[in-house]
Amino acid sequence: MSATKRTASARSPTNLTSRVSVFNSQVTLFEAADDPDDTPRRSKRAKKEVKREDSILEDVEDLEYTPSASTPTPRKRKAAVKSEPKQKKAASKSSPAKRAATSESPKKAKPIPQVLSTPHPEPPNWRETYNTIKEMRARFIAPVDTMGCQRAQLEETEPRNKRYSTLVALQLSSSTKDEVMHAAVIKLRKALGGSITIEGMIAADEEVIHEAIKTVGYHNKKHGYLKNAAIMLRDKFDSDVPDTVDKLCALPGVGPKMAFLTLQVAWNITDGIGVDVHVHRITNLLGWHKPPTKSPEQTRLNLQSWLPKELYADINHMMVGFGQVICVPASPRCDECALSKKRLCPSARVVDGKNRKAIVYLETKESPPEVEIALEEAEEETYMPKS
């Protein structure tokens, strides 16, 4: 038999008939026999796809029908599968107090690093740059001056509440403008009965807290952080704000920036620099980091390795206000910046400020000349009335 015949016969199904061609005796022709079902032959690939679909359908059907009494019913298994996400969803909606009571104790937080193994060198002309920014900051009022985290404690009378309201304001401040954060603190204080206290935060309903702070960034997480942090402060820190950065960072929603600023404002302790997005961004624009830092924590460690410690307490407030008014992120006011005029900023650019909103500077009052006052006093002393 020829190769053609062998291949044909090997592939020929049972419903084909063969006959020799009348034109050529070496050629065999195949014809389809009458099929009562009249169904076309399916390819192996089609059979596999159908088998796969059937298996999927069988899996679905197994969830609906009971195979035997000895094994769990598929219907029950389906109910268990469906109820699992509901249980997770219900757990996520449970109050922070219940989650804190049922969850395991958190792992001990790693100590916050304070020094670099290799200190970063001092950038050139940093002192002149720093003093120039400080002089500019003295000439205008920024949002951080009137609505920053340090303002939250002014409405409280008890020292513990002053410290706690400062911490709460900083917890709300991340990814939020000072104006929005300040308004949320006022609304939260009103919702808690006129004072921001640890006891009031624990007793308040979670929805009440959420409603008060819903304008701040990440409010869906922060209201839980506030609740859980208050519970931890009560249980582990005698209902007061701790006075070390490591203990503060163990609280939910508290990072190094918040911890260092809390120590500075609440306890008058300066252990490090509170580096936020403004300090991180502006110091990189000034070229103070070689290579540029990629995170606020890298920026903090670099700055702490060369900046004098007596400036730790001032740099955050100074840079934040400078970044809110002059060195704004979207379109910096290089036309109003003294660093640009003195060529101290490598990132300065030419800016047309004609159509920009004018910056309101504080008026400086000149004191009267001392010489004139001295002359007037001398004349009064030598004056003698006639008899």
Side-chain angles (χ1 to χ4, degrees), residues 39-325:
T39 56
R41 185 173 62 91
R42 296 183 181 182
S43 64
K44 293 182 180 180
R45 180 178 177 182
K47 289 181 180 179
K48 290 181 179 179
E49 291 177 353
V50 171
K51 186 177 181 180
R52 191 183 305 115
E53 291 174 359
D54 291 342
S55 64
I56 296 174
L57 291 174
E58 288 173 0
D59 293 340
V60 175
E61 290 171 355
D62 285 344
L63 298 176
E64 297 293 337
Y65 299 102
T66 304
S68 65
S70 60
T71 58
T73 63
R75 190 177 296 276
K76 290 182 180 179
R77 282 191 286 141
K78 181 179 180 181
V81 171
K82 287 187 176 181
S83 64
E84 185 177 357
K86 290 183 179 179
Q87 292 174 356
K88 291 182 179 179
K89 188 175 181 180
S92 63
K93 287 187 175 181
S94 62
S95 65
K98 293 181 180 179
R99 292 199 299 269
T102 57
S103 61
E104 298 179 358
S105 58
K107 295 181 180 179
K108 187 177 180 181
K110 295 181 180 180
I112 302 300
Q114 288 287 67
V115 294
L116 289 174
S117 56
T118 303
H120 189 282
E122 292 186 7
N125 303 322
W126 76 265
R127 178 73 73 170
E128 184 181 1
T129 301
Y130 189 97
N131 291 336
T132 301
I133 297 175
K134 189 173 183 179
E135 291 173 3
M136 284 189 285
R137 277 290 282 116
R139 297 178 56 208
F140 59 83
I141 296 177
V144 68
D145 298 327
T146 58
M147 293 172 282
C149 64
Q150 76 282 355
R151 305 289 299 181
Q153 62 179 334
L154 299 182
E155 300 297 324
E156 305 293 340
T157 56
E158 295 292 330
R160 285 198 307 173
N161 297 342
K162 287 180 177 289
R163 292 190 285 268
Y164 180 60
S165 61
T166 300
L167 174 62
V168 168
L170 283 164
Q171 285 180 283
L172 297 178
S173 67
S174 61
S175 302
T176 306
K177 292 183 178 181
D178 284 328
E179 303 94 313
V180 179
M181 179 271 293
H182 181 65
V185 170
I186 294 175
K187 193 172 182 180
L188 180 61
R189 178 177 285 111
K190 184 178 180 181
L192 296 181
S195 182
I196 298 179
T197 65
I198 295 174
E199 295 78 12
M201 189 71 73
I202 295 173
D205 187 79
E206 194 169 347
E207 291 300 324
V208 173
I209 301 172
H210 193 191
E211 178 65 24
I213 68 167
K214 65 181 181 180
T215 55
V216 304
Y218 298 102
H219 56 89
N220 287 326
K221 292 184 178 180
K222 288 180 180 179
H223 73 281
Y225 291 157
L226 291 174
K227 193 81 165 178
N228 284 330
I231 294 171
M232 188 177 293
L233 290 174
R234 179 197 63 187
D235 297 342
K236 296 188 176 182
F237 300 107
D238 196 23
S239 294
D240 201 352
V241 175
D243 58 356
T244 68
V245 65
D246 291 336
K247 292 178 181 178
L248 283 166
C249 287
L251 298 172
V254 177
K257 180 208 78 171
M258 300 179 195
F260 286 117
L261 291 178
T262 299
L263 290 180
Q264 180 182 327
V265 178
W267 288 106
N268 196 24
I269 297 174
T270 304
D271 281 347
I273 301 173
V275 175
D276 68 344
V277 291
H278 290 289
V279 180
H280 174 63
R281 175 177 57 85
I282 294 172
T283 54
N284 273 285
L285 289 175
L286 294 174
W288 283 4
H289 308 286
K290 302 292 183 180
T293 53
K294 296 182 179 180
S295 68
E297 270 298 271
Q298 292 180 1
T299 298
R300 178 180 67 84
L301 292 172
N302 274 5
L303 291 174
Q304 289 180 185
S305 69
W306 59 265
L307 189 72
K309 193 168 184 178
E310 60 266 20
L311 300 180
Y312 284 11
D314 296 331
I315 187 171
N316 178 274
H317 192 85
M318 182 185 75
M319 289 289 190
V320 169
F322 181 63
Q324 289 175 337
V325 178

